[in-house]
Amino acid sequence: MDLKKLLNKEQYEAATTIDGPLLILAGAGSGKTRVLTYRIAYMLDELDIYSSQILAITFTNKAAAEMKERVKALIGSEKVSNMWIATFHSCCVRILRREIDKIGYSRNFTIYDSDDQKVLIRQCIKEIGINEKDITDKEIISKISSAKDKLINPQQYKNENSGNYKLNKIADVYILYQKKLKENNALDFDDLIFKTVELFKREPEVLKFYQRKFKYIMIDEYQDTNKCQYEFARLLASESKNICVVGDDDQCIYGWRGADIRNILDFEREYKNAKVVKLEENYRSKGNILKAANEIIQNNPHEHMKMLRTRSDDGGKIKVLRADSDIAEAEFVASEISKTKDDEKRKYKDFAILYRTNAQSRLFEDVFIKRNIPYRIIGGLKFYDRKEIRDIMAYLKIINNPLDNISLKRIINVPKRSIGATTVAKVENFAAEIEECLYNAILDVNNIPGLSSRTATSISKFVSILNSFIRRKDEISISILIKEILEQTGYMDELKKSDDVQDRARIENLQELVNAAVDFENTSDDKTLSAFLEKTSLVADVDNYDEDADTVVLMTVHSAKGLEFPVVFMVGMENGIFPGGPAFTNSYEMEESRRLAYVGVTRAKEKLYMTSARIRRVFGRTEAFTESDFLNEIDDNLKETFNLRNDFSRDTKQGFTKSSSWNLNSVPKEVPPKNIQFNSSRSERGLENIKDNEPAILLEKDISKGTKVKHSKFGKGTIITINKIDGHVNLTIAFENMGIKNLRLDMAPLELL
């Protein structure tokens, strides 16, 4: 390989710097996957480093698989066979399968998904006696997950929050929850990394083994790591210091789920002799799209400023749409997709609609169905979250790990076999008395008090079926095991006898589960049941994204990270939605929202639309929103602004009707509609007190909601709310070109229009 010809100057430097700590700051679309691929190939082919000494961490299974295939294509599969390219979670599962017995678990542990986790948390809430109206299971799960991300164990959490009644109760749940997880020989998703770090710290010899094994460590998307992931990497790299991290502080968008941007910003402080390489040449997007992205992101503070550049032409301007309503916005997007597809001979898969929250997809779905536009949603109900799939997966989990009480309870009466909730409660009480798991309790069914002979017989038949599966699980393939479960339990027969249309779809889903097992058997080196359960537990929604399916893609900007599309519609670009309300009172929230906007813009390769609506339905109410401040951060020369004021107009009887076409370069005045409730989150914003040398012209008696005013700096606006706080009159004003501002009447230079 002649890397100097294959890579640009900065890419070459990053790919050939092997020893010591290396920070690669890779701007969007700058070819970081290419750099990592060639870096690995260079290490294996040119430097003769053993593949078993390399650990490459990615954030999705899809990315890991693609990287491995690329390296194989460059230097052959033989040299790559022993290299670990994996996500944090799958890497840690692999370590724990070998070593977890050293911290008191069995190696056949179950990985609990979010549904299993919720069931167990609710059990703990009930046992402790917490009223779910006071503390919800969702809040408790969030707090426990956050604690694990920060490497805080249950007792530490209890000690740190002893003075706070609510958090102290959550600590009690955390303690009991971890106890029950261990009894079930189960780990939740956060435990996979948390317990690996615990293992490394408790067992120095284990840590030394993996430090010697992995002399070269590479971590992609480093800006999205949390404290637990950071510590895992730090411990492994502390011996060799050969750690290469790749990331972009401008694309840190997962702070809400624990990602700590300081991990990438402080890399040079952690590793004093670290080398830094910036990748700023973009190979994805047209010039105007990159200029718009640069103009948005430069408004954030930076320690490592990057400016994306490209050798491509500028392309068209960014199309900025202002629609009368959310319905008109959706109608426009559908019309533009149909028109562009025909005019430019594009396919549906060339188009992506990106929004900030999943709830925004509904209107687009309605319009697409009406217009027969094929679409798919990334981030909806996952295949493995469907009831019928979860049922059969629960059978597989209990067959693999009989200590798993949650899975056993799920399927003990599925399909129905006359084992109701009262019976299950009696089994649970008996299991508690003999201090055994539920499976061991039902093995001794004749000694469980209070059971009728009919119920005892039903349980015995269930136990007999389970035992036959457990005995044969290592003798038959996963696909055959699933077929036998469906047949011998009567699960498939029950669905076939049903007249419900949904049950026919469930049969197809179960057939697809068998197909998934066959694919696993054909592609996986480890064909055990444990390995199959790991694969299905760790699959991410984006891992199932099929780039070849010819449909329009609808997804959140968060889900779109790492993907690219020829034509992108960023919708709902309004203050209060994108950015969300909290961003206006919290600078960190605003910075992350701006990074999210940057990520959205840089998903577009050729065309970018940014749309907003004057009014939209929110929780059943019609609310008015001003255009997103992020749109105002883009230079006017880069934008082609138009509106739909005359395109889809409201008819009081018929709803929205289409009339004339949209008008280019006609920017409407922001006049809030009458009788519209404004987004309440705006009242949370801090006041922007601009002192003027001259006294305020207006008095309180001069103004009311809807009054038109003019500010010496912000221009024309409309008063939305008037509030008195500490004797001062505070105004929330929607300005035509400057968005929403909060001002004090006695300090702001305002005059009536």
Side-chain angles (χ1 to χ4, degrees), residues 684-740:
E684 299 171 4
R685 302 181 189 177
L687 295 177
E688 300 183 39
N689 300 323
I690 300 180
K691 193 77 174 176
D692 194 78
N693 293 329
E694 297 182 10
I697 298 172
L698 297 184
L699 299 175
E700 186 178 357
K701 65 182 179 61
D702 297 325
I703 60 172
S704 61
K705 288 184 183 179
T707 298
K708 305 288 190 255
V709 295
K710 183 178 181 180
H711 187 281
S712 62
K713 179 178 179 181
F714 300 141
K716 298 175 183 178
T718 303
I719 296 175
I720 300 171
T721 62
I722 303 171
N723 294 303
K724 276 192 175 181
I725 302 175
D726 297 329
H728 298 293
V729 178
N730 298 324
L731 307 176
T732 303
I733 304 175
F735 289 98
E736 288 182 10
N737 297 315
M738 299 300 292
I740 291 181

Side-chain angles (χ1 to χ4, degrees), residues 249-283:
D249 49 324
D250 289 334
Q251 295 188 70
C252 181
I253 59 173
Y254 296 113
W256 51 275
R257 72 179 190 194
D260 188 350
I261 195 172
R262 298 308 314 177
N263 290 347
I264 193 167
L265 296 180
D266 290 344
F267 185 81
E268 293 169 271
R269 298 181 184 91
E270 175 75 24
Y271 300 94
K272 300 299 183 185
N273 61 335
K275 185 172 186 175
V276 180
V277 178
K278 291 183 183 180
L279 305 181
E280 297 174 288
E281 184 169 350
N282 179 282
Y283 294 90

